[in-house]
Amino acid sequence: MRLDSAQGELVAIEPLTAQYPGLRVADAYAIQGRLVDLWVARGDRIVGVKAGLTSRAKQEAMGVHEPIYGYLCESMVLAEGEPLRTGEVIHPRAEPEIAFILKSDLQGPGVTPEQALAATEAVTPAFEVIDSRYRDFRFTLPDVIADNASSARLLIGAQRVRPLEFDLRLIGMVFEKNGEVVETGAGAAVLGDPLLAVTWLANALASRGERLQAGWIVLPGALCNAHPVGPGDELCVTFDRLGALSLRCS
Ligand code: OOG
Ligand code: MG
């Protein structure tokens, strides 16, 4: 598959819709499913799921105005202290997220935010590193869906915070790159409440006969724009109540 070769050879390709202008969202999810099946057949493992384009900042930056989802695999997860090796990806960008860790399955349709909260073991600071396999990070909605929502790497914090006693909408965030504040935000940037992104994911997956699974990492989407990163960059995100997380790029 062209997207898989682009990722393997680190050469960005033209959007699929340039060649197949009629590509629909349903076709794009089918392509995404084939890609993930291929990785699993090669020995990778699904460890979670992500929502993307759930904040206005991201939607406006990418010119795509609907949430999407993609899968997170074991090979994408960075260990604590492990650098992001920028030479392994095409044109990486980093974005802060509030990661959810689930303690029970969530099967839609009809999942409510209350059920999503009850299924959440903890939340923790995260960096998602996205890497579009398309030239110049330019794509339409079906393109980015087929490309597994630009997933590339993720780092989650060691903190485990129960989100029961506070309002995730009000969690403030400061994102620093090389010691300078590049973005600030609050949880409410993500669909009004990051919990609603988890709820949306559970119900969206149900339309493919799938569910969110106990033990999975769920990324609800970035609170702010993603920033390009290169060798030597040092990133830090600090969230109110959740704490800080750093990522070094080599
Ligand atoms: C698509 C992935 C978006 C998010 O958190 O909004 C995403 C992209 O921007 O390339 O992961
Ligand atoms: Mg993201």
mmCIF file of all heavy atoms in Angstrom, residues 50 95 97 128 222, ligand 2:
data_model
loop_
_atom_site.group_PDB
_atom_site.id
_atom_site.type_symbol
_atom_site.label_atom_id
_atom_site.label_comp_id
_atom_site.label_asym_id
_atom_site.label_seq_id
_atom_site.Cartn_x
_atom_site.Cartn_y
_atom_site.Cartn_z
ATOM 1 N N LYS A 50 -7.229 7.101 18.920
ATOM 2 C CA LYS A 50 -7.142 8.557 19.064
ATOM 3 C C LYS A 50 -8.254 9.233 18.287
ATOM 4 O O LYS A 50 -8.679 8.738 17.236
ATOM 5 C CB LYS A 50 -5.813 9.061 18.511
ATOM 6 C CG LYS A 50 -5.666 8.827 17.017
ATOM 7 C CD LYS A 50 -4.442 9.506 16.440
ATOM 8 C CE LYS A 50 -4.707 10.924 15.984
ATOM 9 N NZ LYS A 50 -3.560 11.526 15.279
ATOM 10 N N GLU A 95 2.160 17.703 19.607
ATOM 11 C CA GLU A 95 0.984 18.385 20.153
ATOM 12 C C GLU A 95 0.633 17.791 21.513
ATOM 13 O O GLU A 95 0.706 16.579 21.706
ATOM 14 C CB GLU A 95 -0.206 18.279 19.181
ATOM 15 C CG GLU A 95 -0.521 16.848 18.762
ATOM 16 C CD GLU A 95 -1.579 16.755 17.679
ATOM 17 O OE1 GLU A 95 -1.702 17.670 16.847
ATOM 18 O OE2 GLU A 95 -2.312 15.744 17.680
ATOM 19 N N GLU A 97 -1.705 16.585 24.606
ATOM 20 C CA GLU A 97 -3.046 16.021 24.776
ATOM 21 C C GLU A 97 -3.228 15.561 26.219
ATOM 22 O O GLU A 97 -2.248 15.303 26.929
ATOM 23 C CB GLU A 97 -3.249 14.819 23.841
ATOM 24 C CG GLU A 97 -2.967 15.157 22.379
ATOM 25 C CD GLU A 97 -3.853 14.432 21.390
ATOM 26 O OE1 GLU A 97 -4.839 13.789 21.819
ATOM 27 O OE2 GLU A 97 -3.560 14.516 20.193
ATOM 28 N N GLU A 128 1.420 13.832 21.585
ATOM 29 C CA GLU A 128 1.290 13.035 20.385
ATOM 30 C C GLU A 128 2.215 13.635 19.331
ATOM 31 O O GLU A 128 2.288 14.862 19.193
ATOM 32 C CB GLU A 128 -0.147 13.008 19.837
ATOM 33 C CG GLU A 128 -0.159 12.028 18.665
ATOM 34 C CD GLU A 128 -1.445 11.878 17.893
ATOM 35 O OE1 GLU A 128 -2.338 12.733 17.989
ATOM 36 O OE2 GLU A 128 -1.521 10.889 17.139
ATOM 37 N N ALA A 222 -5.649 17.120 20.236
ATOM 38 C CA ALA A 222 -4.807 18.194 20.775
ATOM 39 C C ALA A 222 -5.645 19.411 21.159
ATOM 40 O O ALA A 222 -6.659 19.702 20.535
ATOM 41 C CB ALA A 222 -3.764 18.585 19.745
HETATM 42 MG MG MG B 2 -3.547 14.328 18.172
#
